[in-house]
């Protein structure tokens, strides 16, 4: 099975919005590598991936050979499980979802629609993921939530961490959301073009337990985050956040 990303053509407003600012794309499998290279900004990734997964679902394609689904795992919709991946008994996966080579979705984990779990990721009991890309070797082994986000290679999501993708500062929350999520870089406010957008976390970042990320949080690769309860805004690559 080959999933070919749709092309993204909008030029990045800042170098800090380009996928290669946050992620090293090589060695993540053919689909994720092409996805990251085809998108001009990190804001394009989620929508492009969702369109690709919808196209895959309609086509009814399946990876060959397939990974392991243990008896007692619950799969709904189109779930592509590449060779070497495993979904354990007690896990729940609601497609369309792509589980890449070497990834493990453990008992008690919930992976929801329009998600790609990259090679070597470990998703543990109580973890919930929806509409997100975990690029590769992400550790999310404890109760936590990632939604509408893009997570880099070798990121560790601590226990009880959560992204938030919906504005709640304009009165009662509407569902579906109607307020666009924006980010500010260099004093310039930039629209994401999306009403739900969680976070972009670059390669090799560890989120300490209990960290909550504001909508539209951008964390550059190699950033060191000390224990704290809330983070938002843009953190450049190599930052130290106390």
């Amino acid at each position: 099975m080959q999933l070919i990303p749709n092309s993204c053509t909008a030029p990045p407003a800042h170098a800090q919005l380009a996928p290669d600012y946050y992620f090293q794309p090589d060695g993540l499998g053919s689909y994720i590598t092409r996805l990251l290279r085809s998108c001009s900004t990190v804001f394009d990734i989620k929508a492009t991936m969702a369109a690709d997964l919808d196209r895959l679902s309609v086509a009814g394609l399946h990876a060959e050979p397939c990974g392991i689904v243990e008896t007692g795992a619950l799969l709904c919709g189109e779930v592509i499980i590449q060779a070497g991946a495993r979904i354990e008994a007690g896990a729940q996966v609601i497609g369309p979802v792509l589980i890449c080579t070497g990834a493990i979705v453990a008992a008690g984990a919930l992976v929801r629609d329009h998600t790609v779990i990259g090679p070597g990721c470990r998703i543990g009991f109580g973890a919930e993921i929806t509409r997100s890309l975990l690029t590769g070797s992400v550790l999310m082994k404890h109760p936590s939530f990632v939604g509408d986000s893009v997570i880099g290679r070798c990121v560790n999501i601590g226990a009880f961490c959560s992204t938030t993708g919906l504005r709640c500062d304009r009165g009662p929350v509407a569902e579906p959301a109607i307020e666009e999520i924006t980010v500010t870089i260099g004093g310039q406010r930039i629209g994401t073009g999306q009403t739900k957008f969680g976070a972009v976390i670059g390669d090799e970042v560890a989120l300490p337990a209990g960290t909550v990320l504001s909508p539209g949080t951008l964390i550059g690769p190699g950033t060191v985050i000390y224990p704290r309860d809330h983070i938002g805004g843009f953190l450049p690559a190599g930052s130290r956040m106390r």
Side-chain angles (χ1 to χ4, degrees), residues 126-186:
E128 179 181 354
I129 305 163
T130 186
R131 297 183 301 273
S132 296
L133 168 64
L134 278 58
T135 59
S137 300
V138 174
L139 300 180
M140 192 174 171
K141 300 179 73 173
H142 306 285
S144 49
F145 174 77
V146 168
D148 301 287
S149 298
V150 185
I151 310 299
R153 187 197 311 252
C154 297
V155 168
N156 185 80
I157 309 287
F160 306 111
C161 290
S162 179
T163 65
T164 56
L166 182 67
R167 294 190 63 152
C168 58
D169 59 348
R170 303 291 180 88
V173 171
E175 185 63 48
I178 56 176
E179 292 284 346
E180 182 183 16
I181 304 299
T182 61
V183 302
T184 300
I185 298 179

Side-chain angles (χ1 to χ4, degrees), residues 9-29:
T9 57
H14 294 274
Q16 294 93 338
L17 295 181
D20 61 7
Y21 180 83
Y22 297 89
F23 315 115
Q24 212 300 323
D26 294 331
L28 295 172

Side-chain angles (χ1 to χ4, degrees), residues 20-235:
D20 61 7
Y21 180 83
Y22 297 89
F23 315 115
Q24 212 300 323
D26 294 331
L28 295 172
S30 59
Y31 173 67
I32 295 176
T33 295
R34 285 196 295 262
L35 172 66
L36 294 177
R37 286 178 172 164
S38 71
C39 291
S40 296
T41 78
V42 291
F43 304 143
D44 299 324
I45 295 171
K46 184 167 71 89
T48 302
M49 182 182 69
D52 291 338
L53 289 170
D54 282 338
R55 186 158 48 90
L56 177 67
S57 179
V58 169
L61 300 176
H62 294 271
E64 294 292 345
C66 186
I68 297 170
V69 180
E70 295 183 357
T71 301
L74 177 60
L75 275 59
C76 302
E78 190 77 21
V79 180
I80 305 301
I81 309 160
Q82 292 185 340
R86 184 170 80 248
I87 301 178
E88 295 183 351
Q92 184 175 2
V93 182
I94 303 170
V97 164
L98 172 63
I99 309 291
C100 295
T101 301
I104 297 175
V105 181
L110 172 59
V111 179
R112 292 165 50 197
D113 62 287
H114 297 96
T115 292
V116 172
I117 305 296
C121 292
R122 299 291 185 267
I123 312 302
F125 180 87
E128 179 181 354
I129 305 163
T130 186
R131 297 183 301 273
S132 296
L133 168 64
L134 278 58
T135 59
S137 300
V138 174
L139 300 180
M140 192 174 171
K141 300 179 73 173
H142 306 285
S144 49
F145 174 77
V146 168
D148 301 287
S149 298
V150 185
I151 310 299
R153 187 197 311 252
C154 297
V155 168
N156 185 80
I157 309 287
F160 306 111
C161 290
S162 179
T163 65
T164 56
L166 182 67
R167 294 190 63 152
C168 58
D169 59 348
R170 303 291 180 88
V173 171
E175 185 63 48
I178 56 176
E179 292 284 346
E180 182 183 16
I181 304 299
T182 61
V183 302
T184 300
I185 298 179
Q188 182 180 355
R189 189 177 182 183
I190 304 166
T192 64
Q194 299 166 67
T195 57
K196 286 187 177 179
F197 194 87
V200 174
I201 303 177
D203 293 342
E204 300 184 349
V205 172
L207 283 187
T211 305
V212 176
L213 304 181
S214 293
T217 297
L218 306 176
I219 301 175
T223 294
V224 176
I225 299 172
Y226 292 83
R228 54 189 293 120
D229 59 3
H230 178 254
I231 293 173
F234 168 64
L235 304 182

